[in-house]
Amino acid sequence: MQKPSTVAAPKPSASHPASNSSFLLATLAHTDKIARIDPSNEDPGAIEFITVGAAPWGIGVHSPTHAAYVATAEGLAVVDLATFTRRSLVPYLHPAAEISQGEYRPGGLGLAVAPDGSAVYVAVSLDTETCFLEVFDVQRGVFTGSVRVGWRPFDVVVAPDGAWVATIDHDSFTVTVVDPASLRATTHKIAPFGTEGGLASWEKIHYAAVDADGTILLPVQGKVVVRFDPVTGKSNSIPSAANSHAHGTALASRLLLTVGTGSFGNADGVPNLSVLNLDTGDERIAPLDVPHETVTAWSDAAGTEWAVVAGGNTRNEGWDGLTLIRLDDFEQRTLDVPGYPQVVVTYTEP
């Protein structure tokens, strides 16, 4: 294991060429690497890899500074995308007692970058019930504070204007909303099917997307999408017919893309991708051959929109690759990516 450093975050590169190239960045949960992928190039040999730290999970990007941030089991990796190199690996305020892999490993889980790029918010788990949201000051290159949040926060999301940040607390059926300035935390129960079964329950939230109006969208079991207002604490439900244990979710304009991993708990359908129009309520469902973990939206050079779903790591039932699904007709193709891609995001060079 390399010794953590506190080298400052990358600054904008004046020499970086102007480009409209769109790539994917994926954390490889069974390795210590992330991958940069050009989906238009189907040659697996064209995929680029760099070492970031053990068992990476969440990843976020701030395009204006060519910076990516990766939550690993060891610390927060700061990556310069202009050179595709790791600049630093910064230890957490609450470091893991030991470094390991798998869904239940301690260390960094969900991650979000402040819209202005000034801060990175990382959910750090010491064990199932002892978890924190830690705040990383990008300019200073150090963690400056933390607050206790719910159990096993798979995901972190942030307000479009940066006014709040929230952890998606999988095992406690909660969303914890945090004021970034004061670190005051407010916990909200999100359990449309109740909490019976506790840790053994399948009817939990996993990942979230933030709509343009600042509400948080939380798919549950392919049966409902909870629209939660983190300011008022109020919520309502949008029906879904996917009927598949919901994991990753992302927005493609007004379409909510949600990965269903199959038959678990009160969902008895097959693995699929739900494409839900938030304006009309119309939903289309694309069956998938195997379960996946997370999803992002990607557009090719012709402007065609795709969903990209990652093989994943949770429950150790993932696989080494990505599936691309064209949104207009659900045509599918796969890309081999070794290491169990956990979280995948789109990065467009400015």
Side-chain angles (χ1 to χ4, degrees):
M1 181 176 72
Q2 293 182 318
K3 183 179 179 180
S5 71
T6 55
V7 177
K11 299 294 190 294
S13 172
S15 62
H16 193 279
S19 171
N20 291 317
S21 299
S22 183
F23 299 95
L24 303 173
L25 297 173
T27 56
L28 306 178
H30 283 197
T31 75
D32 58 0
K33 296 175 172 57
I34 64 170
R36 179 160 64 181
I37 305 153
D38 178 359
S40 64
N41 188 340
E42 298 185 41
D43 177 9
I47 298 174
E48 301 173 87
F49 301 90
I50 59 168
T51 298
V52 291
W57 188 291
I59 184 169
V61 173
H62 186 246
S63 294
T65 51
H66 307 292
Y69 303 91
V70 187
T72 80
E74 300 177 60
L76 176 68
V78 180
V79 174
D80 183 348
L81 291 171
T83 60
F84 202 51
T85 57
R86 189 187 75 181
R87 287 289 187 90
S88 59
L89 181 61
V90 185
Y92 300 124
L93 297 176
H94 302 86
E98 60 181 25
I99 303 302
S100 59
Q101 286 186 349
E103 177 185 352
Y104 292 92
R105 65 128 176 90
L109 295 175
L111 176 152
V113 182
D116 64 2
S118 64
V120 181
Y121 307 105
V122 189
V124 178
S125 171
L126 297 184
D127 55 49
T128 297
E129 300 180 17
T130 310
C131 304
F132 300 85
L133 181 72
E134 299 196 5
V135 181
F136 177 76
D137 184 305
V138 169
Q139 184 174 9
R140 294 168 58 191
V142 297
F143 283 98
T144 58
S146 68
V147 61
R148 189 79 176 260
V149 295
W151 298 0
R152 270 211 307 159
F154 273 21
D155 201 5
V156 177
V157 293
V158 64
D161 62 359
W164 53 259
V165 60
T167 58
I168 312 305
D169 311 321
H170 173 260
D171 276 351
S172 54
F173 301 86
T174 58
V175 170
T176 303
V177 181
V178 177
D179 180 332
S182 67
L183 292 186
R184 179 179 180 273
T186 306
T187 301
H188 303 267
K189 188 75 72 175
I190 305 292
F193 302 107
T195 61
E196 184 177 355
L199 291 177
S201 171
W202 293 100
E203 283 72 44
K204 301 174 184 174
I205 54 178
H206 287 76
Y207 297 88
V210 178
D211 207 351
D213 64 359
T215 55
I216 301 174
L217 301 166
L218 298 148
V220 187
Q221 289 294 79
K223 294 180 177 289
V224 298
V225 175
V226 176
R227 183 185 287 276
F228 168 68
D229 187 332
V231 177
T232 66
K234 296 180 179 179
S235 64
N236 56 57
S237 293
I238 305 167
S240 170
N243 188 29
S244 187
H245 184 58
H247 272 227
T249 191
L251 281 166
S253 186
R254 300 303 298 154
L255 301 177
L256 183 68
L257 313 175
T258 302
V259 177
T261 62
S263 177
F264 297 97
N266 66 6
D268 57 10
V270 300
N272 59 33
L273 175 76
S274 163
V275 180
L276 178 65
N277 188 308
L278 295 174
D279 294 329
T280 67
D282 294 337
E283 184 177 31
R284 297 182 298 134
I285 298 170
L288 298 170
D289 290 338
V290 294
H292 294 68
E293 180 70 16
T294 58
V295 60
T296 192
W298 175 76
S299 296
D300 61 24
T304 304
E305 293 187 315
W306 298 74
V308 182
V309 287
N313 168 68
T314 308
R315 297 195 309 275
N316 286 323
E317 295 180 2
W319 58 285
D320 288 326
L322 306 172
T323 299
L324 281 79
I325 305 163
R326 194 161 59 193
L327 293 182
D328 59 1
D329 61 4
F330 286 165
E331 176 184 311
Q332 299 184 22
R333 63 182 177 90
T334 60
L335 288 173
D336 294 332
V337 183
Y340 272 41
Q342 175 72 18
V343 175
V344 59
V345 297
T346 303
Y347 165 58
T348 301
E349 293 183 337

